[in-house]
Amino acid sequence: MNKLDKVKEYALSKLHTEVTAHDFSHSLRVMKIANHIGNKMTGDVDMEIINVAGLTHDIIDKKVAPNIEEAIRSLSEELLKIGYTASQMEHVLDIIQNLSFSSGKTPRTLEGKIVQDADRLEAIGAIAIARTFAYGGRLNRPIYEEGDKSTGIAHFYDKLLLLKDRMHTEVGKEIALSRHEFMKDYLRQFYKEWSLEDLEQDNP
């Protein structure tokens, strides 16, 4: 088993019971999207760092880890045990500690910006809509109530629809555009069905 396979095994052990849409399948997609972006970049990109950061980014997230300091310590020890150098481990931690939208931070390195784009692309589009309502259900949030800023639909406006303009890479921007338009189409249809306007259109 190579080092990356061991990271996958570790990430799966930490995320397999996660039900807030920050599960292993999400981390695996972030890694694959980051790979797609990284492979299209000009210049030197450390793909190993991208892969490890993509797989582990939510292990230390407050939505997943009950004790963030302990999660960071455990992940650091695991990466060193697997065979990554202290420098590689620190690079991964620097990325994933500055990744989340709520932190308002931007990773310092190109690899970090690529992984942040990949994670944000997971928050735009069809899967993002599913993740939004899965997470909202976990927190007992209503789907929608007019004027209520804590609902699933409200989350589109406080995060999802903002991400298109916060991408770092040109590849990320291109992918974000089509996913963004899909979400706008979804919201238009949602409001039609919520108000039953679509029934009037179907039955003139």
mmCIF file of all heavy atoms in Angstrom, residues 61-68:
data_model
loop_
_atom_site.group_PDB
_atom_site.id
_atom_site.type_symbol
_atom_site.label_atom_id
_atom_site.label_comp_id
_atom_site.label_asym_id
_atom_site.label_seq_id
_atom_site.Cartn_x
_atom_site.Cartn_y
_atom_site.Cartn_z
ATOM 1 N N ASP A 61 -12.163 19.861 10.620
ATOM 2 C CA ASP A 61 -13.215 20.878 10.562
ATOM 3 C C ASP A 61 -14.105 20.786 11.803
ATOM 4 O O ASP A 61 -14.418 19.690 12.270
ATOM 5 C CB ASP A 61 -14.059 20.683 9.297
ATOM 6 C CG ASP A 61 -15.002 21.845 9.050
ATOM 7 O OD1 ASP A 61 -16.053 21.903 9.728
ATOM 8 O OD2 ASP A 61 -14.694 22.673 8.191
ATOM 9 N N LYS A 62 -14.546 21.926 12.291
ATOM 10 C CA LYS A 62 -15.367 21.954 13.507
ATOM 11 C C LYS A 62 -16.698 21.247 13.319
ATOM 12 O O LYS A 62 -17.317 20.814 14.297
ATOM 13 C CB LYS A 62 -15.611 23.399 13.951
ATOM 14 C CG LYS A 62 -16.392 24.244 12.952
ATOM 15 C CD LYS A 62 -16.513 25.689 13.421
ATOM 16 C CE LYS A 62 -17.275 26.530 12.402
ATOM 17 N NZ LYS A 62 -17.370 27.963 12.838
ATOM 18 N N LYS A 63 -17.164 21.109 12.081
ATOM 19 C CA LYS A 63 -18.418 20.405 11.827
ATOM 20 C C LYS A 63 -18.244 18.894 11.970
ATOM 21 O O LYS A 63 -19.225 18.171 12.066
ATOM 22 C CB LYS A 63 -18.932 20.757 10.427
ATOM 23 C CG LYS A 63 -19.356 22.210 10.259
ATOM 24 C CD LYS A 63 -19.929 22.478 8.884
ATOM 25 C CE LYS A 63 -18.873 22.502 7.807
ATOM 26 N NZ LYS A 63 -17.909 23.612 7.945
ATOM 27 N N VAL A 64 -16.997 18.442 11.950
ATOM 28 C CA VAL A 64 -16.700 17.012 11.994
ATOM 29 C C VAL A 64 -15.985 16.616 13.285
ATOM 30 O O VAL A 64 -16.315 15.611 13.907
ATOM 31 C CB VAL A 64 -15.831 16.605 10.771
ATOM 32 C CG1 VAL A 64 -15.385 15.164 10.883
ATOM 33 C CG2 VAL A 64 -16.602 16.830 9.474
ATOM 34 N N ALA A 65 -14.997 17.426 13.665
ATOM 35 C CA ALA A 65 -14.148 17.074 14.804
ATOM 36 C C ALA A 65 -14.661 17.710 16.095
ATOM 37 O O ALA A 65 -14.752 18.939 16.180
ATOM 38 C CB ALA A 65 -12.718 17.529 14.544
ATOM 39 N N PRO A 66 -14.975 16.919 17.104
ATOM 40 C CA PRO A 66 -15.418 17.477 18.383
ATOM 41 C C PRO A 66 -14.311 18.231 19.104
ATOM 42 O O PRO A 66 -14.568 19.149 19.879
ATOM 43 C CB PRO A 66 -15.866 16.244 19.180
ATOM 44 C CG PRO A 66 -15.173 15.096 18.543
ATOM 45 C CD PRO A 66 -15.020 15.446 17.103
ATOM 46 N N ASN A 67 -13.061 17.836 18.844
ATOM 47 C CA ASN A 67 -11.904 18.489 19.449
ATOM 48 C C ASN A 67 -10.901 18.776 18.333
ATOM 49 O O ASN A 67 -10.184 17.880 17.887
ATOM 50 C CB ASN A 67 -11.278 17.599 20.524
ATOM 51 C CG ASN A 67 -10.137 18.286 21.268
ATOM 52 O OD1 ASN A 67 -9.348 19.026 20.697
ATOM 53 N ND2 ASN A 67 -10.058 18.025 22.565
ATOM 54 N N ILE A 68 -10.852 20.017 17.867
ATOM 55 C CA ILE A 68 -10.037 20.356 16.707
ATOM 56 C C ILE A 68 -8.549 20.184 16.999
ATOM 57 O O ILE A 68 -7.791 19.669 16.173
ATOM 58 C CB ILE A 68 -10.336 21.794 16.234
ATOM 59 C CG1 ILE A 68 -11.771 21.879 15.715
ATOM 60 C CG2 ILE A 68 -9.361 22.214 15.132
ATOM 61 C CD1 ILE A 68 -12.200 23.265 15.289
#
